[in-house]
Amino acid sequence: MNRFQEELFGGRSFVQFTLDEPLILGKPSLTINDNVVVELWDNGVLYFQPEGGARNHSILLSVGVHGNETAPIEMIDQLVTDILAGEVALRHALLIVIANPKAIKAGQREIDENMNRLFDGTLAVKDGDSPERCRSRLLIQYSRDFFGLEAHQKIHYDLHTAIRGSIYRQFALSPNPVDRLEIGHHCSLLEQWGIEAILTTTQSSATFSAFTAHSLDATSFTLELGSAKPFGSNDMTEFALVIAGLRAAISGDESLTIERKTAKRFYVAAEIVKETDAFRLLFPPDTVNFTPFNVGDVLATDKEFQYIVTKSGERILFPNENVANGQRALVIVHADDNDTENSL
């Protein structure tokens, strides 16, 4: 345990300290290695500013939007420990967010509702709001504060693991326009990190990454890095390339000395919303993400609705018929027509 971790977290790791739910008064701060200023903005919200106030990039790393997705939480916990120990140099401003500590502590995906449908900058305050609504409003403000400061690029990686298996074990979803100048560069980086598929979407959304992309002009990605498992059950070697990529990104040395493999490219063709309790998915519950279906297959039904595959090669993503009414229960994706390997 290094002295900076002792001063900030009382001898605990960042995650342990966060789950203890301490009362944070003001913005406790200290200066660590290479004159990097560290500020604890809130429980689970940790800010790093390199020497001299220079902000080449602003990088937001968020984990734990869903409390049972533990691998990214463990990754970030080790990253904070290594930064405080001087093992990772910081060139860029960094904000690390553990999004939903209450759900993480409970070992649940959520306490009352899916936080990743609540990043809406106009979300009104109501009596009896869920813990997720209260927390998301705070995270929206911290994100605005962070990305409101001058920076060459604003970058957000929201790290998740999926409920079910996937043909492409690690994949990314971008809510940014495909013609955004920085997208090509960042997609190349993700390929170095072992990301096997990259999706783009023009669908409106209240996810964390969509909020930072659309409202704060960040280059944002949701990263799905495998299957959700309990703490202590993750094989961290499966995430070695992503961990190395994150460390390289914040230290300003982005290029990894590995041979990158081209990620498959997809776009979101449709999102199916569960309207009533009658909603059903018409394929086995163990069907994995990116499974393709044939023209004429019926994938979902509701009281006055059914979704029938109309185009060869349609695939499913994030199927979940147990979501609340009014929420997305299924995503339909299709290979990018410009991706010749996917089109075969």
Side-chain angles (χ1 to χ4, degrees):
M1 183 67 62
N2 66 77
R3 67 182 181 90
F4 300 125
Q5 192 161 326
E6 181 73 35
E7 288 184 48
L8 278 170
F9 310 131
R12 291 159 286 184
S13 75
F14 178 44
V15 169
Q16 289 170 334
F17 178 81
T18 298
L19 299 189
D20 285 343
E21 300 184 85
L23 177 64
I24 307 297
L25 300 175
K27 288 186 177 180
S29 66
L30 55 85
T31 301
I32 62 169
N33 317 283
D34 298 324
N35 292 320
V36 173
V37 174
V38 185
E39 293 180 352
L40 187 61
W41 284 7
D42 199 339
N43 189 32
V45 182
L46 194 62
Y47 169 71
F48 295 87
Q49 173 60 60
E51 179 181 16
R55 300 175 63 88
N56 293 319
H57 300 331
S58 293
I59 301 175
L60 168 58
L61 302 180
S62 55
V63 299
V65 168
H66 299 130
N68 63 337
E69 298 176 3
T70 60
I73 301 168
E74 293 180 355
M75 291 165 55
I76 288 299
D77 201 31
Q78 186 61 53
L79 180 63
V80 170
T81 295
D82 291 345
I83 293 172
L84 294 177
E87 296 177 12
V88 179
L90 284 184
R91 179 182 177 187
H92 305 300
L94 176 65
L95 187 67
I96 291 181
V97 169
I98 298 176
N100 197 345
K102 291 183 182 297
I104 297 168
K105 189 173 182 178
Q108 301 173 180
R109 180 175 172 84
E110 59 208 40
I111 297 298
D112 286 331
E113 55 185 321
N114 185 352
M115 178 183 277
N116 217 25
R117 301 294 179 270
L118 300 175
F119 287 92
D120 181 345
T122 64
L123 197 64
V125 178
K126 298 179 181 178
D127 290 339
D129 270 348
S130 70
E132 280 85 6
R133 285 179 183 262
C134 296
R135 180 69 168 176
S136 66
R137 277 193 291 267
L138 288 172
L139 298 184
I140 285 170
Q141 188 56 56
Y142 294 136
S143 301
R144 282 178 170 149
D145 292 345
F146 180 62
F147 284 134
L149 300 171
E150 183 179 356
H152 179 60
Q153 285 189 41
K154 302 171 184 178
I155 304 161
H156 179 199
Y157 296 115
D158 187 31
L159 279 57
H160 290 254
T161 51
I163 296 174
R164 63 181 62 214
S166 177
I167 290 176
Y168 304 106
R169 189 174 61 86
Q170 297 186 343
F171 59 95
L173 193 148
S174 169
N176 294 102
V178 292
D179 58 353
R180 183 181 175 91
L181 182 62
E182 299 87 357
I183 287 295
H185 170 69
H186 285 281
C187 287
S188 295
L189 289 181
L190 292 178
E191 289 173 337
Q192 291 188 68
W193 300 5
I195 298 301
E196 300 166 15
I198 300 174
L199 299 96
T200 57
T201 179
T202 58
Q203 303 281 336
S204 61
S205 175
T207 65
F208 199 177
S209 63
F211 168 73
T212 56
H214 299 156
S215 298
L216 304 181
D217 196 34
T219 303
S220 303
F221 292 90
T222 297
L223 301 185
E224 297 285 353
L225 302 178
S227 300
K229 298 177 182 178
F231 280 116
S233 299
N234 297 297
D235 179 359
M236 300 310 288
T237 62
E238 295 179 0
F239 312 103
L241 284 178
V242 175
I243 293 169
L246 291 174
R247 292 166 68 103
I250 65 177
S251 64
D253 182 16
E254 295 179 330
S255 296
L256 302 179
T257 55
I258 63 165
E259 181 182 354
R260 70 180 180 91
K261 296 182 179 180
T262 302
K264 308 297 188 298
R265 303 301 175 96
F266 295 89
Y267 64 89
V268 173
E271 293 190 350
I272 312 305
V273 174
K274 176 181 177 179
E275 298 292 354
T276 76
D277 291 340
F279 182 89
R280 293 293 182 271
L281 296 173
L282 301 184
F283 46 82
D286 59 351
T287 304
V288 299
N289 285 321
F290 292 99
T291 294
F293 286 85
N294 299 314
V295 172
D297 288 344
V298 182
L299 301 187
T301 62
D302 212 326
K303 272 190 174 180
E304 300 179 357
F305 166 84
Q306 61 179 359
Y307 184 84
I308 303 174
V309 175
T310 59
K311 187 175 181 180
S312 177
E314 288 188 7
R315 300 172 183 243
I316 60 164
L317 190 64
F318 304 136
N320 185 359
E321 67 180 24
N322 297 318
V323 298
N325 291 347
Q327 290 195 358
R328 184 192 74 193
L330 179 65
V331 176
I332 306 298
V333 304
H334 206 282
D336 189 331
D337 291 337
N338 294 318
D339 186 338
T340 55
E341 184 173 354
N342 264 329
S343 301
L344 297 176

